[in-house]
Amino acid sequence: MGSYLVTGGAGFIGSNFVRHLVEHTDHRVVVLDKLTYAARRESLDGLPADRVTLVEGDICDAGLVDRLVAGADVVAHFAAESHNDNSLNDPSPFVQTNLVGTFVLLEAVRKHGVRYHHISTDEVYGDLELDDPDRFHEWTPYNPSSPYSATKAGSDLLVRAWVRSFGVQATLSNCSNNYGPYQHVEKFIPRQITNLIDGVHPKLYGAGQNVRDWIHVDDHNSAVLRIIDAGRIGETYLIGADGEMNNKAVVEMILRLMGHPADAYEHVTDRPGHDLRYAIDSTRLRTELGWTPAYTSFEDGLAATIDWYRDNEAWWRPMKEATEAKYAKSGQ
Ligand code: NAD
Ligand code: TDX
C-alpha cells in the first residue's frame, strides 16, 4: 500500500483516475485541486473517506505542494487548464497553471525524491494532414498550435530536463482525446449530448472534417497506472486506442444513438488555428508494457456515456448555462 498525490483529481480524467485507484489498488489518495470552474467536488462523491482526501489548493502554492509531496510515494499530475477554446480567449491561467504549476511540483518531487508521472496530450505534436499515412510517435518533433498545447509542451520539456539534470524519477504520457463520464460540458462530446437533452442542435466547428483519436477515459487511466507501475524512468509513452474519427461522424453517431435524424446539427464559427488531425501510434505502450484498451467499440462506449449524462443531469446542469453563454459570445 502506498500514498498517491493526484493533482487535478476533481476534474474529468483525474476523478476517474481516483476511482480507478480505489477499485484496482489499495493505495491511499490525496487529491490536490484548486476547484476551478472545470472541477466538480461531486465527481468524488461515494468514494471511501478513509482512502480519499480532497485538499482544496493551488499547485502553484509551493509551501502547500512541498508539504503534500513530502507525504506521498507517487505524484500523478493531472491538474491543468485543459480547454483550447478558453486558451484562445485568455492564455494567462494556462501559462500559470500548466507551466509554473508543473515547475513547482517538479521542485518538490526533486527535493523529496518522490516518483512523478506527468499527464500530457498528443496536441504537443501539432497536427497531421487528413491523408498523411503517418501517426504521432514518441519521437515526433514538438510543434504545438494553441496556447493550451504550447503550455503543455513546455511542461513536458520541463519534466524531461528535471529527469536529465536532477535525476528526478519521472515518466510522461501523451494521450489522445478522452471521452466518458464526468467530462465538463464545454468539451465536444458532452456538449452535444447535453445540447440534445436540452432540445438544442449539436454545433460543429467549420465543416466538421477535423479528426480526433478517441479513447475511453478508463483506458487512458489503466495505461497511466501501468506506466507508473512498470514504465522506464525518463521515458515518454503515447496512449491511444486507434479511435480516429472526424467530428461530423461523431455528431452523426450521437444523433443516431439519441434517436434524432443524422443531419440535425448546425455548423458554427470554426476555432482559430483549429488542428486538423491527431492520430496516435501506441506501439511502445502495448509491446513494452503489455497494455491494451478494454473499450474495443467506440459506439458502445459512446452509448454508455450518453446514458451517464441522461442519468446524471444534477452533475452537469449547474455548468451548462454559463458554458453556452461563453460559446455564444464567440459565435460557437
Ligand atoms: P479538466 O479541465 O477536466 O480538469 C482539470 C482539473 O485541474 C480541474 O479539477 C481543476 O480544478 C484542476 N486545476 C486547474 N488548475 C489548477 C491549479 N492551479 N491547481 C490545482 N488544481 C488545478 O481536465 P482533464 O480533461 O481532466 O485533463 C486532465 C489532464 O489530462 C490535463 O493535464 C490535460 O492536459 C490532460 N489530457 C486531457 C485530455 C482530454 O481529452 N481531456 C487528453 C490528453 C491529455
Ligand atoms: O462544440 C464543439 N464543436 C466542435 O466541432 C466543440 C466544443 C468542439 N468541436 C471540435 C473541436 C475539435 O476538433 O471537436 C473537436 C474536439 O474538441 P474539444 O473537445 O475542445 O477537444 P480538443 O480541442 O481536441 O482537445 C481535447 O483533447 C486533447 C482536450 O480538451 C484537451 O485537454 C486534450 O489535451
Side-chain angles (χ1 to χ4, degrees):
M1 190 187 77
S3 178
Y4 265 65
L5 177 63
V6 178
T7 70
F12 165 45
I13 306 174
S15 65
N16 279 288
F17 183 70
V18 174
R19 274 174 207 286
H20 193 85
L21 282 179
V22 167
E23 276 164 32
H24 297 279
T25 74
D26 59 1
H27 301 309
R28 278 179 290 106
V29 183
V30 174
V31 169
L32 172 58
D33 200 297
K34 191 179 173 182
L35 300 179
T36 69
Y37 82 96
R40 296 283 283 140
R41 217 181 252 282
E42 293 78 1
S43 300
L44 298 169
D45 277 357
L47 291 168
D50 58 339
R51 298 273 308 275
V52 180
T53 311
L54 171 64
V55 176
E56 183 177 349
D58 193 330
I59 54 166
C60 300
D61 178 343
L64 173 64
V65 165
D66 185 80
R67 282 197 301 284
L68 294 176
V69 168
D73 300 307
V74 177
V75 174
H77 177 35
F78 290 87
E81 285 292 336
S82 69
H83 195 42
N84 274 298
D85 292 319
N86 292 342
S87 81
L88 296 164
N89 291 326
D90 180 11
S92 96
F94 288 76
V95 172
Q96 189 62 23
T97 286
N98 299 358
L99 285 169
V100 177
T102 298
F103 160 72
V104 168
L105 282 161
L106 285 170
E107 285 294 81
V109 293
R110 172 188 173 198
K111 177 173 160 194
H112 296 289
V114 171
R115 175 82 170 85
Y116 173 89
H117 182 72
H118 186 73
I119 284 85
S120 192
T121 169
D122 58 359
E123 296 191 20
V124 300
Y125 301 114
D127 60 354
L128 297 160
E129 293 298 328
L130 294 179
D131 60 358
D132 191 332
D134 206 3
R135 301 193 285 177
F136 296 140
H137 309 275
E138 285 81 2
W139 53 91
T140 302
Y142 275 35
N143 187 26
S145 314
S146 73
Y148 163 67
S149 49
T151 57
K152 291 298 293 187
S155 72
D156 293 9
L157 298 180
L158 290 177
V159 178
R160 292 182 183 191
W162 261 242
V163 170
R164 169 114 184 215
S165 302
F166 305 123
V168 162
Q169 300 289 295
T171 41
L172 303 92
S173 55
N174 297 74
C175 188
S176 59
N177 285 62
N178 285 219
Y179 73 97
Y182 301 102
Q183 186 168 31
H184 194 284
V185 293
E186 70 189 354
K187 302 296 198 298
F188 179 52
I189 287 179
R191 184 181 185 204
Q192 316 313 336
I193 295 170
T194 54
N195 274 355
L196 282 170
I197 292 173
D198 281 350
V200 173
H201 286 312
K203 317 278 187 196
L204 263 186
Y205 291 177
Q209 295 308 303
N210 306 64
V211 170
R212 296 295 182 264
D213 190 350
W214 293 99
I215 182 171
H216 194 278
V217 63
D218 290 346
D219 284 331
H220 182 181
N221 283 329
S222 70
V224 166
L225 194 55
R226 182 80 195 121
I227 295 165
I228 291 171
D229 287 343
R232 278 182 290 139
I233 297 302
E235 205 58 79
T236 291
Y237 295 88
L238 260 55
I239 305 174
D242 299 333
E244 278 189 73
M245 197 178 288
N246 75 31
N247 295 338
K248 184 164 163 287
V250 173
V251 158
E252 287 168 348
M253 194 181 277
I254 294 172
L255 282 162
R256 186 164 48 72
L257 289 169
M258 294 183 74
H260 295 272
D263 61 353
Y265 56 80
E266 278 172 27
H267 293 284
V268 295
T269 310
D270 206 353
R271 173 184 287 170
H274 195 174
D275 278 342
L276 199 48
R277 171 173 163 244
Y278 306 138
I280 289 272
D281 177 352
S282 57
T283 303
R284 174 180 288 173
L285 175 66
R286 291 168 192 253
T287 54
E288 203 179 285
L289 302 185
W291 173 87
T292 48
Y295 283 78
T296 48
S297 156
F298 175 67
E299 184 162 347
D300 291 351
L302 189 58
T305 303
I306 290 170
D307 286 345
W308 190 87
Y309 281 90
R310 278 186 170 137
D311 294 344
N312 290 279
E313 184 166 341
W315 181 87
W316 59 264
R317 179 59 68 193
M319 308 181 282
K320 184 67 179 168
E321 204 179 304
T323 302
E324 290 305 319
K326 214 163 15 173
Y327 277 128
K329 279 195 202 149
S330 44
Q332 292 175 317

